[in-house]
Amino acid sequence: MSAPGMLIDPRSLPGAGGPGGSGSAGSPPGGAGGTAAPLLLALACGGYALGALLGWGSRELALIMGDFGLSAAALAASVSCFLYARAHGRRMRPAWLLFAFSSAMAAAGNAVWGWYEVVQDRPVPSPSLADVFFLLFAPPAIVGLLVLAKRPVTRAGWVCLALDSWLLAGSLLTLSWSLALAHTATFRGESVARAALSLAYPLLDIVLVSMVLALHFRRSKGNRSAVHTAIAALALTVLCDALFTSPLLRDTYRSGQLLDAGWFAGSLLLAYAPWGVRRATEAPAPPRGAPRPSSRPIAGSLAALTPYLAAAVCTLSILYSVIEGRRVDRVVVFTGCAVVLALVVRQGIMLLDNITLTQELAQKESHFRSLVQSSSDVIMIAAPSGVLHYVSPAATGVYGRDADDLVGTELAALIHPDDLGAVVHEVRRFLAGPPAEEPTTRIEYRFRSGTGDWLHVESTVNRHQGGLIFNSRDVTERVRLQAQLQHNAEHDPLTDLPNRALFTQRVRQALGGRRAGDSGTAVLFIDLDGFKGVNDRLGHQAGDELLVQAARRLQESVRAGDTAARLGGDEFAALIAGDGGQDPAAREFQVHEIADRLRLTLSRPYDIEGAEVRVAASIGVAFAEPGISAGDLLRNADLAMYRAKAGGKNRVEMYVPQMQAEAVRRTELQGRLRSALHDGAFALLHQPVVDLATGRVAAVAAQPRWRSAQGLLFTPAEFLRVTDDGGERAAELGRWMLEKAVEQAADRHRAGHRVPVFVRVPARRLLDRSLPPATVEALLGRYGLPPEELVLEVSDSDPRIPFDELEQRITALRRMGVRIALDGFGGGYGAVAALRRLPADILKFDRGLVEGIVESTRLHTITGGLLRIARDLGLQAVVDGADVPEQVLALRVMGCTHAQGMAFSGPLDEHRLRRALNRGGFPLPGALPGGGAARGPGRAAGGGVRPLPVFSGGPGGAAAGGPPEGRSGCAGGHGGAVLPPMRSHYETRVPPT
């Protein structure tokens, strides 16, 4: 037998009698508590029967138990049915109320019977009130049985129910009349009432027996236990009534005899019936795999044979009368004819009903056949042997194979060998489970098509007569789409290289596989230097083409077992698998050669849209170590790559543990820097801008400083280099510096020191929406600073900045009264463009023009030429970096009017700045004792130089006299007013990390 056949074989199922099944029945539901009531019922009935068999010991006790005992049992049945009907609002409540009334009538009849025999000690008259109560017992019981029966849904069903009841009643009547009732009906000398009473009991019993039998064959599924118990109770009662009314026992009957035990047991059974139903519904289902009882098919057969059995009973009754030589009674003939007529009518109705059902069945079969044949799914039925017995016509379109060719083929021969094991396992699991909990299962496998290809098939599997039904559909396109989606999720859409997620997974597999301890595994992080410039010059489309070509070069350069990936942007990576057992030094040299070859390959010129484009590659290399995780290995390679970029780019850098320590320290420094503004760790210093004609302070330049936890002061350029989000931090620092500078300048203005303040603002900052001209105007108004005392130094004049928009912003600021200075003039490639396009009031020369002005004649000529350009344009010139007296003298000779630097003072805090302003100014190098300055060649040639109005200080801002007595013109400035040289602007350095 094939593998599926072994699974489908019923003998392999648990509970089917096989080795894996359970042959023992489970314990009865309910346990000890569930058997207590039936046990008490059996004991009560057995005790009563034993007492009746022994005669109860005395005539008086026998009469009491035979009359009032039966009355008590019937009363118990009435109370039980009534209480159950009130407590449970169900559809069967009327039936139990009718049973309660019927039992109450029996209790009343037995009580009246006992009144005559026990209380009055005389025979019961016939007829009597007891007979009325006894006759009222049967009608409500009959109606209650009709309520419990399964109701027909059509008129034909009601007619068949009536005919079945008559067939049963007529057959019983014919039999009873032939045996006993004919003798009862011919009694001589009796009154009409007594004769009618004699016939009423058996006739009602016949009707009740007919309903009991009809109900047994048409019982409802929802109340089977209740019907069984009620039928047993009423059947026992009817049997005792039949024995009582027979001529053999009626004349010899006395109360308390064994016949009363039957009535007693019938009443107690009826009292137990509703509560027995409740226990049955709460009982658990029978164990899975237990054999089902065979009562259903037998009951169905008996129900179908009932009409014929009734006709046979009538025939036997007539034959009995003929055999006994009696004259056939007219009642028997009439009843038999009525039974035969009812049988013929019933058979006609059933014939018409069968014809209708046959037509409906044919229509439904045609309907379902058309559904199966026109369905796009393939329906296959596999026998227990695993052979296909049926295949729907859809197989031609789905599998490319004729359905008739597949019939008789083993299913295992059509499934891909690699998928057969999974299919067998799933089918075995499915068949071992309970059908109620898992009616179907779903299996995916590859199925051989007519062309020999393997199709991806999804099948819904159902049980079918020991076999299986496969409802299959072709999902090949869906599987391909899922594979494509999975590929897209793990690969870069531009270069089709593995992305970061897949690369990390590959690294994790390399570290956790057979070579988990192999230190030869290496990860290369690659960054393309200059790629941003390609995007800016040629556009993003050209940048994408460069990335595609770089990815192709990288993929072709790595070995077959290695992995090349694109992590994002212009960052790539490569996983170099270890060779195992190689010397670490040799392996490191080999990987370094691979990385350097990659660097040269990626640095070759690229042909982008007919133009030759060059970029370089910075590569960081990290080797695996025992116990290292994938994340740590990738981090190490990333650190090495950033070290390669910081070391000059276009190079290969190997990871060393010190890089991680430096990264940790830099991260700590970044964390402290982010909270420095909020913690008040920043201070704003001011360096004086000195008038070279008088030595007075003409303006001050604001310079922020950050005092670290170690007490070191960092300049903006120094402390912004330690953070990777310098743009955000720089913007936050710029907002703080502008507001702080305006606030302190306003305080100095109110104190009488009307000295303008220079605040450096990057050009991109002026274009930021967070710093519109309205914000500057609002800031000046808030602190009460005149606009002419604020000078904004525009720095970083990159030609890529939109000068049109920047010009509009600067014009709006100048219209408010704010002065504009172009910072770093002469030191950047964008200075000339900024001077040509941007309106300005002041040119601030770069310190690079001053550093070698004394020694270099060439630089002296260049600086002098730029100063003449400033004078010709009507702009005030301020030179930064005048650190020694010789530089100051040279600048004065060239006609420079204002300068700042260590020759006068370093950056001062607010207290020392106020002291410098109060002193009046700084001594000038080469000043005359009387306070005048020596005339240099520049002054003799060019005459006196007047300061522009922008530097016109107030009464306390300019002193006409020279320096105070006792002070020299050295670069130290006023004693104590300058920070110690270690903390100066030019000597401060980032602490070693």
Side-chain angles (χ1 to χ4, degrees), residues 128-206:
S128 65
L129 183 60
D131 295 321
V132 177
F133 289 123
F134 285 140
L135 291 177
L136 290 177
F137 166 80
I142 294 171
V143 178
L145 289 175
L146 286 175
V147 175
L148 285 180
K150 183 179 180 181
R151 295 180 177 85
V153 295
T154 61
R155 292 183 180 180
W158 284 105
V159 173
C160 288
L161 177 61
L163 291 176
D164 290 343
S165 301
W166 166 244
L167 287 172
L168 293 171
S171 62
L172 293 176
L173 177 61
T174 304
L175 182 62
S176 302
W177 192 275
S178 300
L179 295 177
L181 294 183
H183 176 73
T184 303
T186 57
F187 281 162
R188 306 295 182 184
E190 292 186 356
S191 62
V192 176
R194 183 176 178 81
L197 185 62
S198 300
L199 290 175
Y201 280 111
L203 291 178
L204 287 176
D205 289 339
I206 289 173

Side-chain angles (χ1 to χ4, degrees), residues 275-484:
W275 309 105
V277 174
R278 186 178 183 184
R279 283 195 301 273
T281 56
E282 294 175 354
R288 175 171 52 86
R292 294 180 178 272
S294 59
S295 60
R296 283 189 177 183
I298 295 177
S301 301
L302 291 176
L305 294 176
T306 299
Y308 304 101
L309 293 176
V313 169
C314 292
T315 304
L316 290 175
S317 300
I318 297 175
L319 290 177
Y320 174 78
S321 299
V322 173
I323 292 173
E324 290 293 328
R326 301 177 184 174
R327 183 176 62 86
V328 179
D329 194 282
R330 287 177 293 180
V331 175
V332 175
V333 175
F334 176 79
T335 306
C337 293
V339 169
V340 173
L341 179 61
L343 178 61
V344 172
V345 173
R346 187 184 187 281
Q347 289 302 106
I349 294 175
M350 293 302 297
L351 180 60
L352 294 176
D353 194 22
N354 288 338
I355 293 174
T356 303
L357 290 177
T358 302
Q359 293 176 351
E360 292 180 358
L361 182 60
Q363 292 177 357
K364 291 182 178 180
E365 181 181 1
S366 176
H367 174 69
F368 285 108
R369 183 179 296 276
S370 64
L371 288 178
V372 170
Q373 293 180 351
S374 61
S375 173
S376 59
D377 293 350
V378 180
I379 299 176
M380 302 183 297
I381 300 179
S385 61
V387 177
L388 295 177
H389 278 191
Y390 172 80
V391 179
S392 66
T396 304
V398 176
Y399 298 151
R401 307 183 65 170
D402 190 71
D404 296 335
D405 296 340
L406 291 175
V407 174
T409 306
E410 285 194 1
L411 186 60
L414 302 174
I415 299 176
H416 196 282
D418 295 341
D419 300 339
L420 184 59
V423 173
V424 168
H425 175 75
E426 178 60 22
V427 171
R428 177 175 296 174
R429 184 202 62 79
F430 171 65
L431 293 177
E437 296 181 4
E438 189 178 13
T440 63
T441 187
R442 183 170 295 178
I443 305 175
E444 288 193 16
Y445 52 91
R446 283 169 287 179
F447 193 92
R448 187 188 299 275
S449 67
T451 59
D453 298 330
W454 293 103
L455 302 177
H456 291 271
V457 173
E458 180 187 68
S459 296
T460 302
V461 184
N462 300 77
R463 299 173 178 87
H464 174 70
Q465 297 179 358
L468 294 173
I469 297 179
F470 289 82
N471 192 348
S472 307
R473 62 204 60 88
D474 183 11
V475 294
T476 304
E477 290 301 323
R478 189 194 71 185
V479 172
R480 290 176 181 172
L481 179 60
Q482 289 177 346
Q484 183 63 38

Side-chain angles (χ1 to χ4, degrees), residues 585-641:
R587 178 59 176 169
E588 181 177 343
F589 179 77
Q590 179 185 8
V591 173
H592 191 280
E593 280 190 339
I594 294 175
D596 197 59
R597 187 172 62 251
L598 282 177
R599 180 186 64 81
L600 295 175
T601 301
L602 296 174
S603 300
R604 293 201 311 264
Y606 294 84
D607 184 9
I608 307 296
E609 299 178 356
E612 185 179 279
V613 177
R614 290 181 177 271
V615 294
S618 297
I619 302 178
V621 182
F623 285 93
E625 300 174 359
I628 192 172
S629 64
D632 292 341
L633 182 58
L634 295 177
R635 180 205 61 203
N636 294 346
D638 196 18
L639 290 174
M641 186 267 291

